[in-house]
Amino acid sequence: MVERQLRGRGIADEQVLVAMAAIPRERFVPPDLRRHSYFDDALPIASGQTISQPYMVARMTELLEPRPGLRVLEIGTGSGYQAAVLAQIGCSVLSVERHAPLANAARIRLEELGLAGSVTIVVGDGSLGRPEEAPFEGIIVTAAAPAVPDALTAQLADGGRLVIPIGPRRRQELVLVVRRGDGFERHDCGPCVFVPLVGESGFAEEAARRRWPGRIL
Ligand code: SAH
C-alpha cells in the first residue's frame, strides 16, 4: 500500500509514509471487509459512513504538514484511522464525531493501539469546530462541506492549515486554507468525493449516502 498507492503517487513526506506503514489499517475496517483493508479505495464502516481511501488519508495528512506536537482538530472521527495516523506522527488530536457508536469504537481501537494518550474523541456537531479549544495549528475535515466554514478558518492559529473537501455532494475539491495573519490563502488540491458533513455549516441531515466516498476521483 505504502509503496504503490502512496509513494508511487507522489506522497513524499516520510513521516506520513512511516506512520501509515505502522498503523494496522485492518483494525479499523469491519471484520467482513478485512481482506480489503489495503485496497486502493474507501470502505464502508458502521452508521452508513466510510473509512477514506489510503491515498486520500496520506494526501490530507501531508497537506497539514504534520510534525510532533502539532495541535490538530479533526472533524469526522469515523473509524479513527486518520486520527491514528496523526497520533503516530506525534500530533495531539482532538477529534469530533456526530455518531456516538463510531466515536466509542474508535476510542477502543486507539486505546488498544496505545495511541489514546494523543487523541481525544468527543461526540457532537463539529461543523462549527471547537471555539472553546481554539486556536489549532491544523484542522482536518474528513467529510464534505458546501463551502469553507468561516467558523473553522477563525479557529486556525497564524500559519495554521485547514484541509477540507468543498463542493456539492457528488464531487468536491480538496481545499487547503492557510492562515497568514488576518488573511487566508486558498489552494485547490484536486477532485475527491466524501460523505457529507452534516450539521450547521454542512449539509442537511438527509444528505444522500454515496457508496464509496472518501477517495480521489
Ligand atoms: N476520518 C475518518 C473518515 C470518516 S468519514 C476515518 O479515518 O475513518 C466522515 C465522518 O464524518 C463520518 O463518521 C461522519 O459521521 C462524520 N461527520 C459528518 N458530519 C459531522 C459533523 N458535523 N460533526 C462531526 N462528525 C461528522
Side-chain angles (χ1 to χ4, degrees):
M1 177 187 90
V2 168
E3 290 310 315
R4 286 200 204 144
Q5 299 173 34
L6 309 185
R7 203 191 295 276
R9 280 207 196 106
I11 302 296
D13 185 330
E14 284 301 325
Q15 297 176 103
V16 176
L17 295 166
V18 167
M20 288 190 62
I23 299 294
R25 187 170 156 91
E26 67 276 10
R27 300 278 285 271
F28 295 82
V29 164
D32 55 320
L33 293 175
R34 283 223 165 121
R35 66 190 183 284
H36 301 316
S37 298
Y38 295 90
F39 273 24
D40 185 19
D41 217 335
L43 293 169
I45 56 173
S47 305
Q49 305 303 316
T50 55
I51 175 172
S52 302
Q53 179 191 29
Y55 174 76
M56 187 49 65
V57 173
R59 182 78 181 120
M60 292 178 87
T61 309
E62 186 174 65
L63 287 171
L64 271 186
E65 294 189 352
R67 59 172 191 277
L70 194 85
R71 263 196 95 219
V72 179
L73 172 67
E74 179 191 30
I75 300 163
T77 314
S79 68
Y81 181 72
Q82 173 71 71
V85 170
L86 288 165
Q88 181 71 26
I89 292 170
C91 301
S92 158
V93 185
L94 173 61
S95 186
V96 188
E97 171 55 54
R98 62 188 288 267
H99 290 293
L102 289 178
N104 293 335
R107 250 185 231 120
I108 292 168
R109 286 184 192 112
L110 292 168
E111 199 130 315
E112 287 170 356
L113 294 172
L115 295 169
S118 307
V119 184
T120 304
I121 299 176
V122 295
V123 175
D125 176 8
S127 72
L128 297 176
R130 296 285 288 184
E132 63 280 23
E133 324 254 3
F136 300 97
E137 296 164 298
I139 301 180
I140 180 166
V141 184
T142 62
V148 178
D150 290 338
L152 296 186
T153 53
Q155 289 170 41
L156 282 176
D158 194 11
R161 301 165 78 83
L162 164 67
V163 180
I164 179 169
I166 297 296
R169 292 208 314 256
R170 298 177 56 135
R171 183 191 172 93
Q172 302 98 35
E173 181 75 19
L174 187 62
V175 172
L176 167 67
V177 178
V178 185
R179 179 168 205 155
R180 304 272 180 224
D182 290 333
F184 298 94
E185 272 168 26
R186 174 179 163 142
H187 308 268
D188 287 0
C189 304
C192 56
V193 58
F194 276 79
V195 292
L197 183 71
V198 176
E200 243 182 275
S201 63
F203 291 96
E205 177 77 52
E206 68 278 9
R209 298 201 168 118
R210 275 175 63 81
R211 273 210 73 199
W212 303 106
R215 65 184 311 281
I216 46 168
L217 276 178

